[in-house]
């Protein structure tokens, strides 16, 4: 599942409640009634403004300026939604509940994510060769084992033992710091996107039985051995995945830090006038970021 540049729960709450702020203050329409008092749209707007007001203005204006420049279709949102749902499987409903989501509000977050991706990747070049290579990788699963240690010196020493004929499983049981140690470092089958990028890149570049040099990731230093390879069953045709693969590659190349300055430039051109005095200055953080790269 693709990650949002914005905080998921905050973005979803703001987008789901955005209708409450459309009319601004002064709306006495009752949205909740009870014997102990009613809640009006104005009450809800004021509470939202107090709790997440400035962040709400930021997120809503980011969505508006991006929507003015880029188009995200319902088909694109549906495709990403179904992909995420399939990826999370039975835990999808739990994921929604933990983030105070409904399917509708989560679709709003997906739409915002896709707008951000299009803004980030519009000038990123991806070649047909890169797409075809990634498609081939996605069509292959690996069975591998590893030895994970905390420092490069230890990893290098273990690699030397392996090169001298040391037993991989025994060395994994003796030295590896993760749960796979008890099983000789075995990780079982995995495919693209299931391991951290550095590990995946190294593993997919290995031949069967080849042992890698130490590979650094956020978990430490890995020594990897691929024991088997197999083709993924029923992989969709390349043409059915070309655009999604292109976008994934483009996102991996994109400079995500460039998004906010780009958005700031769009906001400046939009001549935004914040009329609520309590929310004035809400966009200062974004607008000031426009000058940051030059500094």
């Amino acid at each position: 599942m693709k990650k949002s540049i914005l905080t998921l729960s905050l973005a979803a709450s703001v987008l789901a409640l955005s209708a409450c702020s459309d009319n601004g203050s002064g709306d006495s329409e009752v949205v909740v009634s009870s014997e102990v008092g009613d809640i009006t749209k104005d009450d809800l707007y004021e509470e939202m403004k107090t709790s997440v007001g400035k962040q709400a203005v930021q997120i809503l204006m980011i969505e508006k300026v991006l929507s003015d420049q880029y188009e995200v279709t319902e088909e694109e949102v549906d495709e990403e939604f179904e992909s995420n749902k399939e990826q999370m499987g039975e835990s999808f409903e739990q994921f929604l509940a933990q983030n105070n989501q409904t399917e509708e509000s989560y679709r709003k977050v997906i739409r915002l994510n896709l707008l951000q991706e299009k803004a980030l990747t519009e000038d990123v070049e991806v070649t047909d060769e890169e797409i075809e290579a990634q498609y081939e990788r996605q069509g292959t699963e690996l069975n591998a084992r590893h030895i994970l240690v905390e420092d490069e010196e230890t990893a290098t020493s273990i690699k030397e033992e392996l090169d001298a004929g040391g037993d991989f499983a025994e060395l994994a049981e003796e030295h590896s710091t993760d749960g796979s140690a008890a099983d000789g470092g075995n990780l079982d089958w995995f495919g693209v996107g299931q391991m951290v990028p550095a590990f995946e890149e190294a593993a997919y570049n290995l031949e069967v039985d080849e042992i890698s040099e130490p590979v650094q990731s956020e978990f430490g230093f890995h020594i990897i051995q691929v024991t088997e390879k197999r083709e993924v069953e029923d992989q969709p045709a390349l043409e059915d995945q070309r655009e999604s693969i292109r976008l994934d590659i483009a996102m991996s190349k994109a400079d995500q830090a460039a998004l906010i300055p780009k958005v700031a430039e769009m906001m400046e051109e939009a001549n935004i006038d914040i009329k609520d005095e309590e929310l004035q200055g809400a966009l200062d953080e974004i607008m000031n970021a426009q000058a940051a790269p030059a500094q």
Side-chain angles (χ1 to χ4, degrees), residues 209-222:
D209 293 332
E210 183 182 359
I211 298 175
S212 74
E213 296 296 327
V215 176
Q216 185 176 11
S217 78
E218 56 261 48
F219 298 107
F221 288 84
H222 310 258

Side-chain angles (χ1 to χ4, degrees), residues 85-109:
K85 187 174 181 180
E86 181 180 355
Q87 184 177 340
M88 284 184 274
E90 295 180 357
S91 65
F92 181 67
E93 295 300 326
Q94 181 182 3
F95 165 79
L96 293 179
Q98 288 176 340
N99 288 280
N100 297 316
Q101 296 288 298
T102 64
E103 290 192 1
E104 181 181 359
S105 66
Y106 186 52
R107 286 177 186 273
K108 291 177 181 287
V109 175

Side-chain angles (χ1 to χ4, degrees), residues 74-88:
E74 286 303 313
E75 289 76 13
E76 289 174 301
V77 174
D78 289 343
E79 182 180 350
E80 181 68 15
F81 179 87
E82 293 301 328
S83 174
N84 291 352
K85 187 174 181 180
E86 181 180 355
Q87 184 177 340
M88 284 184 274

